[in-house]
Amino acid sequence: MITINEHYLKLQASYLFSDIARRVAAFQEKNPQIEVIKLGIGDVTKPLPAACISAFHKAIDEMAVDSSFRGYGPEQGYAFLREAIATHDFQARGADIGADEIFVSDGAKCDTGNIQELFSQQTRIAIPDPVYPVYLDTNVMAGRTGSYKDGRYEGIVYLDSTWENNFVPSLPEQKVDLIYLCFPNNPTGSTITKAELQNWVEYARETNALILFDAAYEVFIRDESLPRSIYEIPGAKEVAIEFRSYSKNAGFTGTRCAYTVVPKECRAYDSMGTKQLLHPLWNRRHCTKFNGVSYPVQRAAEATYSAEGKVQVRELADYYLKNAALVRQEMAHLNFRFVGGENSPYVWIDGGRDSWEFFDMLLNKAGVVCTPGAGFGRCGNGYIRISAFNSPENVQKAMTRIREALS
Ligand code: MLT
């Protein structure tokens, strides 16, 4: 008899964004005349930068010719992209990361979801609340939690991110082994200072823990004092894995390209307490289960580091940050308290009511889709997340509709 992985039965009914999409589709079916404005899922709306498009075209032309056609590429990514990443994303900022420490992949969602395979079932996991649901759900699937009770899974150490701690969680009181951090944060849009991140790195070093640092939104950082990478912090290479993506900086949500950095000295321990390096383990996993990102996509990603590509990527982020400023302005006008939107495309708003109720009200009365904070964890209840990924015209229209709906 074939039996199932019963840990899946512990999961909440559906993935947050699928749930929202279903509610929006039902609303749209009943109200086909209403033009719904989507400020929910963080999906980009602008086309790829021109530099990426021309590199993409050129690479496709290469694939059409015997002499330049390419079959399977290296699982870890082509050297041209890995070298560009190491030079521009790390070494240029004083972070000593080499090309051979980078694994190119098809998404930070997949990588942040898959990385937990490297760790034992007994791993004690610390996860911020609110949080990007992938970190939590993939550990539930793997059987590292108990059941879901009162909005939380047993066995997880939740790190509350609240108004009181400026949405930067404090170090855990109990012992943990694996810590998920994401800055600029999804969903709150909050940021972490170098000093705060240094505390986490020191904690991981002192307690033999490991940090999984999701930096998918670093392109939105405008405060130059903030760290863009955890490897800007001394001592981080031994205790941190970092995830990056081309989705939000260069509009690759549908094109798919990302990377994970596993430094050569990054370590965990076996059951005897002997140090084991994570780089060869992730390399083994990557080569076994992944066959690389397509050549044209990697060439398009490489183009983000060209002189014109850098300007275009910056302009794209500025475009969405202007929308975030519009959202902040309107929320201030409506007297809501909020964070985010300055170094992040997300604005996190205290709606002063149940967040699904607020979501439904905005959908039904304003035709605007946001993301209910409760979908990101118990501490998210009472909040909604508004994403800046849309056109300025639509964001302005959405803000006017929200103002009318609330008046
Ligand atoms: C979000 O809206 O939180 C993100 O778009 C989800 C993702 O990047 O997978």
Side-chain angles (χ1 to χ4, degrees):
M1 181 173 63
I2 175 72
T3 54
I4 58 160
N5 172 358
E6 293 198 10
H7 300 302
Y8 273 66
L9 303 180
K10 296 177 197 159
L11 289 164
Q12 294 314 286
S14 66
Y15 182 59
L16 173 64
F17 294 105
S18 322
D19 196 8
I20 292 170
R22 231 189 356 266
R23 285 180 189 230
V24 174
F27 172 81
Q28 197 73 92
E29 204 179 308
K30 276 199 215 131
N31 305 279
Q33 76 293 356
I34 296 179
E35 179 219 349
V36 169
I37 302 175
K38 294 184 178 163
L39 305 178
I41 191 165
D43 192 6
V44 295
T45 54
K46 288 286 275 180
L48 301 182
C52 299
I53 290 293
S54 80
F56 216 156
H57 278 299
K58 189 164 166 276
I60 287 172
D61 288 341
E62 286 177 49
M63 296 296 268
V65 180
D66 279 357
S67 58
S68 50
F69 170 78
R70 302 187 187 224
Y72 291 124
E75 289 95 342
Q76 301 85 350
Y78 284 102
F80 60 78
L81 179 56
R82 298 169 85 201
E83 276 157 20
I85 292 168
T87 306
H88 297 277
D89 283 346
F90 297 100
Q91 292 160 13
R93 295 193 60 83
D96 172 30
I97 294 294
D100 57 356
E101 297 178 300
I102 289 156
F103 294 86
V104 175
S105 79
D106 61 349
K109 179 183 189 174
C110 319
D111 286 352
T112 54
N114 289 328
I115 196 85
Q116 47 74 30
E117 285 182 27
L118 300 192
F119 310 110
S120 76
Q121 286 302 104
Q122 292 70 40
T123 303
R124 290 163 296 188
I125 298 165
I127 290 192
D129 179 358
V131 75
Y132 179 44
V134 172
Y135 315 153
L136 186 56
D137 286 1
T138 50
N139 277 294
V140 176
M141 291 169 177
R144 287 197 195 85
T145 73
S147 347
Y148 189 73
K149 283 204 185 114
D150 302 327
R152 288 191 159 176
Y153 287 97
E154 290 170 336
I156 293 286
V157 174
Y158 286 90
L159 305 171
D160 290 358
S161 303
T162 61
W163 195 263
E164 287 65 40
N165 60 21
N166 211 15
F167 300 95
V168 177
S170 314
L171 299 175
E173 277 159 23
Q174 61 270 66
K175 174 85 184 74
V176 299
D177 310 307
L178 187 64
I179 301 145
Y180 287 81
L181 295 178
C182 170
F183 288 101
N185 187 256
N186 179 14
T188 66
S190 62
T191 52
I192 193 163
T193 63
K194 280 189 181 160
E196 287 164 337
L197 196 51
Q198 177 85 55
N199 280 343
W200 281 101
V201 168
E202 277 163 18
Y203 172 86
R205 293 180 69 86
E206 280 159 20
T207 61
N208 296 337
L210 184 80
I211 298 171
L212 300 178
F213 190 73
D214 185 349
Y217 295 91
E218 65 79 31
V219 74
F220 296 98
I221 292 177
R222 289 293 172 273
D223 177 345
E224 285 304 323
S225 71
L226 297 172
R228 285 172 182 261
S229 163
I230 196 165
Y231 305 119
E232 290 174 36
I233 308 298
K237 285 183 75 178
E238 269 176 278
V239 299
I241 290 176
E242 180 165 309
F243 305 90
R244 293 275 190 110
S245 166
Y246 296 93
S247 285
K248 319 289 166 161
N249 63 356
F252 276 48
T253 53
T255 306
R256 311 308 304 150
C257 196
Y259 66 86
T260 290
V261 186
V262 188
K264 290 281 177 68
E265 58 264 62
C266 189
R267 77 336 171 222
Y269 299 87
D270 63 22
S271 55
M272 304 304 288
T274 307
K275 184 157 115 177
Q276 299 288 344
L277 297 176
L278 290 169
H279 187 279
L281 300 189
W282 185 244
N283 189 48
R284 186 70 172 82
R285 192 257 172 222
H286 207 65
C287 295
T288 306
K289 295 196 176 183
F290 187 64
N291 249 342
V293 173
S294 78
Y295 172 70
V297 168
Q298 292 195 56
R299 280 292 186 199
E302 181 198 20
T304 61
Y305 301 104
S306 64
E308 65 279 23
K310 280 185 182 175
V311 172
Q312 291 159 10
V313 162
R314 171 97 187 179
E315 282 169 356
L316 260 186
D318 283 344
Y319 173 90
Y320 294 122
L321 283 171
K322 273 198 198 130
N323 292 344
L326 282 178
V327 176
R328 286 174 55 87
Q329 194 186 323
E330 186 59 29
M331 293 305 123
H333 176 85
L334 292 170
N335 285 323
F336 286 115
R337 58 177 195 167
F338 58 87
V339 286
E342 286 177 307
N343 296 286
S344 155
Y346 298 131
V347 184
W348 184 244
I349 300 145
D350 182 353
R353 68 198 90 181
D354 175 82
S355 51
W356 279 104
E357 184 190 314
F358 203 9
F359 169 89
D360 284 334
M361 194 276 288
L362 290 186
L363 181 59
N364 291 308
K365 286 185 132 183
V368 173
V369 181
C370 66
T371 309
F376 297 104
R378 197 157 81 185
C379 291
N381 201 12
Y383 289 84
I384 56 162
R385 188 191 77 176
I386 292 189
S387 146
F389 291 115
N390 210 313
S391 66
E393 296 72 32
N394 277 347
V395 173
Q396 189 55 69
K397 213 190 286 178
M399 293 306 111
T400 308
R401 287 198 205 164
I402 291 176
R403 185 185 290 204
E404 285 165 5
L406 291 172
S407 66

